[in-house]
């Protein structure tokens, strides 16, 4: 393999960042588990195809976000002392792994492939999935891309919560069962709050760069100290929605997610105590991701007990 191909290959996977695919894997597994609990079967071919489609959307979204944040200067404004695994996007353009054009081509190809998969599922499996998939795809593309630039205009947090919560859970369920129940959508709400919290806490390392680049997410709008309060509120909302699920579905297993509560309390305290100490603050970033995973696993178990 030539040096040029090695650069492209390395840059692609740095951009794709498979470790963050857990964000979409969890709601898909919850939706799949609910479908299995209600029907007793799982169509593995369609489940796998949908999984690939969602991953392609994630890569496309990363690519769009990468070149937009570079062009606006946001990623370039991240100072060396603030650079860490949670700051500055995927760093492919900044590090010279990919050019802007190459990143844009990856965005186009992956999103086009995801669209083709979505159409195939809609034609040969379940038509409703097309509209759910289109909604998710549009939110992913315009998360960063003009004219909407949702994450620059205070709507990115809502877009992420909606997509990685009710939309993916409901989309997977309806594809596997051919029907959609509002209680299934409700099962996506705890995940919506938790993934929004992952995004929220990950905005802290980029706070100064986002301000300089006029990336007007809600953390920039309300400030770091008030942001910690919202961080705690998002956690509280996630655990409250688990209680609502127990009441609505009469399934106490949803409460298994409370096993992560001590870690959540600790992450809020860590963040609040280290607003000006990034090396210690990012422990809260890591804990928030872990909490999302823990609650996700417990929700998969609970979904199978419905």
């Amino acid at each position: 393999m030539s040096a040029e191909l090695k650069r492209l290959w390395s840059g692609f996977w740095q951009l794709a960042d498979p470790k963050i695919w857990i964000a979409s894997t969890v709601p898909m597994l919850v939706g799949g588990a609910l479908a299995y609990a209600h029907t007793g079967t799982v169509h593995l071919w369609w489940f796998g195809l949908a999984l690939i489609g969602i991953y392609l959307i994630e890569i496309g979204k990363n690519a769009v976000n990468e070149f937009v944040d570079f062009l606006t200067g946001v990623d370039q404004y991240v100072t060396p002392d603030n650079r860490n695994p949670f700051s500055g996007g995927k760093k492919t353009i900044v590090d010279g792994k990919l050019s802007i054009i190459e990143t844009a081509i990856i965005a186009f190809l992956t999103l086009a492939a995801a669209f083709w998969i979505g159409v195939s599922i809609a034609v040969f499996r379940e038509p409703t999935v097309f509209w759910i998939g289109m909604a998710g795809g549009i939110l992913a593309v315009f998360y960063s891309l003009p004219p909407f630039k949702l994450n620059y205009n205070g709507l990115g947090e809502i877009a992420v919560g909606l997509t990685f919560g009710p939309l993916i859970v409901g989309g997977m369920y309806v594809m596997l069962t051919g029907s959609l129940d509002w209680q299934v959508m409700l099962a996506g709400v705890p995940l919506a709050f938790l993934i929004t919290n992952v995004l929220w806490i990950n905005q802290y390392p980029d706070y100064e760069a986002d301000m300089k680049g006029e990336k007007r997410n809600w953390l920039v709008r309300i400030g770091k100290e008030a942001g910690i309060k919202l961080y705690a509120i998002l956690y509280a909302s996630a655990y409250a929605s688990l209680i609502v699920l127990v009441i609505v579905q009469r399934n106490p297993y949803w409460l298994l997610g409370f096993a992560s509560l001590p870690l959540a309390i600790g992450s809020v305290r860590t963040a609040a105590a280290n607003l000006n100490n990034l090396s210690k603050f990012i422990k809260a970033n890591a804990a928030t991701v872990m909490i999302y995973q823990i609650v996700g696993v417990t929700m998969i178990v609970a979904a199978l007990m419905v």
Side-chain angles (χ1 to χ4, degrees), residues 116-295:
W116 179 83
I117 289 175
V119 170
S120 299
I121 293 174
V123 171
F124 297 106
R125 175 65 187 172
E126 173 54 50
T128 308
V129 170
F130 178 79
W131 302 109
I132 296 175
M134 282 297 293
I138 289 170
L139 288 173
V141 170
F142 291 109
Y143 179 75
S144 299
L145 201 65
F148 301 112
K149 296 181 74 172
L150 300 175
N151 66 336
Y152 280 73
N153 295 310
L155 295 174
E157 294 88 352
I158 295 173
V160 166
L162 179 63
T163 301
F164 291 94
L167 210 57
I168 292 182
V169 173
M172 180 59 73
Y173 183 87
V174 74
M175 185 199 70
L176 293 173
T177 66
S179 62
L180 185 58
D181 189 325
W182 69 270
Q183 291 189 25
V184 171
M185 303 294 282
L186 186 63
V189 172
L191 296 176
F193 284 122
L194 290 174
I195 197 62
T196 301
N197 231 11
V198 172
L199 171 65
W200 186 259
I201 202 69
N202 285 355
Q203 289 173 160
Y204 272 82
D206 288 334
Y207 180 78
E208 286 77 14
D210 287 347
M211 285 187 68
K212 192 173 181 179
E214 297 184 356
K215 191 173 185 179
R216 299 279 295 166
N217 54 52
W218 274 102
L219 181 61
V220 168
R221 291 166 186 255
I222 68 175
K224 289 184 177 182
E225 291 187 5
I228 296 298
K229 295 178 182 178
L230 185 53
Y231 180 52
I233 289 170
L234 286 168
Y235 272 138
S237 300
Y239 292 115
S241 59
L242 288 174
I243 295 174
V244 172
L245 277 174
V246 171
I247 295 170
V248 171
Q249 297 189 1
R250 297 182 181 180
N251 178 2
Y253 290 100
W254 293 116
L255 294 179
L256 289 171
F258 274 80
S260 64
L261 183 58
L263 188 58
I265 294 172
S267 69
V268 173
R269 289 175 175 170
T270 296
N274 296 285
L275 282 176
N276 299 311
N277 188 339
L278 189 58
S279 62
K280 292 183 178 181
F281 183 93
I282 60 174
K283 293 179 181 179
N285 296 75
T288 310
V289 174
M290 187 179 298
I291 290 163
Y292 179 76
Q293 295 173 343
I294 292 171
V295 175

